Amino acid sequence: MIDPRRLRILRAVADHRTVTAAAAALYLTPSAVSQQLAALEQETGHTLLTRSGRGVTLTPAGEILLGHAHEVLAQLERAEAELAAYAQGRAGEVVVASFATGIAEVLAPAIGRLAGSHPGIRVRVRDAEGDASLPMVLDGEADVAVAVEYRGAPREGDPRLTRVPLYAEPFDAVLHAGHPLSAAPSVSVAELADCDWIAPYPGNPCHDMVALACELAGFEPRVLHSSDDFRAVVALAGAGAGVALVPRSAL
């Protein structure tokens, strides 16, 4: 096994043509350089240098090894540079789990900005609802989750997570154009108590939000239709199948 540190010494000797000059460039003593070169010749089983007056020249075997030394040392320097960039937060991979609207509203713009400011960071996006994305972070499958608050989520003081509030998402009531309240400037949730409802499936954080809003308004919604796709929810409401509360960004 060839020690890469000895390849640096071989390259310095080839550049400076004397052991003394190479030693000065490497901040070593000439005897230390000579010892390392002797060890390198023992590792390779070849004579690598010949004396030429006051200097040294590489043998054919030394020239072959020098060519490989250039490649090996260049690759090591690239590895050191990448590790340094990673340590400084300028390189690496980040896995982000987010619900679909969060991808459109938050992640996509952020990735575009990040490409300009930190081109060495690669972002991998995983589409997942909040009740799935936070467990992904806790299990090590993702580094970051863009999620909404939901019942059963880890508590705010959970030491395993760092929370950063992004924004408060308003929900809008979606009604059929012929609904008696469709022309009203605003609609309270309580006014929709007698309507049929369209809502996400239980387990979806938005389902919890709808249930909580209706609970605070004093009733339990009569959910006839369920879908986690808000395009489908809006289409059903537009067809008069019921009413819904939909995140504004999904509209």
Side-chain angles (χ1 to χ4, degrees):
M1 187 73 175
I2 298 174
D3 189 333
R5 292 172 296 181
R6 292 173 181 149
L7 294 179
R8 293 185 187 277
I9 292 174
L10 178 67
R11 185 173 66 177
V13 170
D15 290 339
H16 296 280
R17 297 298 179 181
T18 70
V19 170
T20 301
L26 296 170
Y27 299 99
L28 297 172
T29 63
S31 61
V33 169
S34 296
Q35 289 173 6
Q36 292 298 317
L37 289 173
L40 184 59
E41 289 183 329
Q42 186 174 2
E43 286 175 343
T44 61
H46 293 278
T47 300
L48 303 174
L49 300 167
T50 57
R51 296 283 178 180
S52 177
R54 295 183 178 181
V56 293
T57 58
L58 269 63
T59 64
E63 292 287 354
I64 291 173
L65 185 59
L66 179 63
H68 290 287
H70 290 323
E71 296 181 13
V72 170
L73 295 175
Q75 187 61 41
L76 287 174
E77 289 166 3
R78 284 192 288 270
E80 291 170 353
E82 289 185 16
L83 286 172
Y86 176 80
Q88 296 169 14
R90 294 186 289 108
E93 181 177 88
V94 179
V95 179
V96 184
S98 173
F99 57 100
T101 307
I103 293 174
E105 296 293 321
V106 178
L107 280 185
I111 290 173
R113 293 178 60 184
L114 194 65
S117 61
H118 294 78
I121 296 179
R122 182 173 63 174
V123 179
R124 289 177 54 203
V125 177
R126 302 279 297 277
D127 188 337
E129 292 296 336
D131 57 333
S133 61
L134 286 179
M136 289 171 65
V137 173
L138 295 176
D139 293 340
E141 298 177 24
D143 302 300
V144 179
V146 178
V148 299
E149 295 286 355
Y150 63 95
R151 292 175 178 176
R155 294 182 178 179
E156 189 169 345
D158 193 314
R160 300 171 297 171
L161 297 170
T162 298
R163 294 171 182 255
V164 180
L166 295 177
Y167 62 93
E169 176 74 84
F171 277 63
D172 291 322
V174 180
L175 316 173
H176 179 256
H179 192 283
L181 295 173
S182 64
S186 63
V187 177
S188 69
V189 176
E191 293 179 281
L192 304 176
D194 295 330
C195 298
D196 295 333
W197 279 75
I198 310 153
Y201 283 102
N204 186 314
C206 290
H207 175 94
D208 292 343
M209 199 289 310
V210 171
L212 180 59
C214 294
E215 179 183 313
L216 293 174
F219 70 97
E220 181 178 348
R222 185 171 63 249
V223 178
L224 294 188
H225 311 284
S226 298
S227 175
D228 287 334
D229 187 334
F230 285 114
R231 293 173 300 179
V233 171
V234 171
L236 287 169
V243 300
L245 292 179
V246 175
R248 184 169 297 169
S249 59
L251 295 174

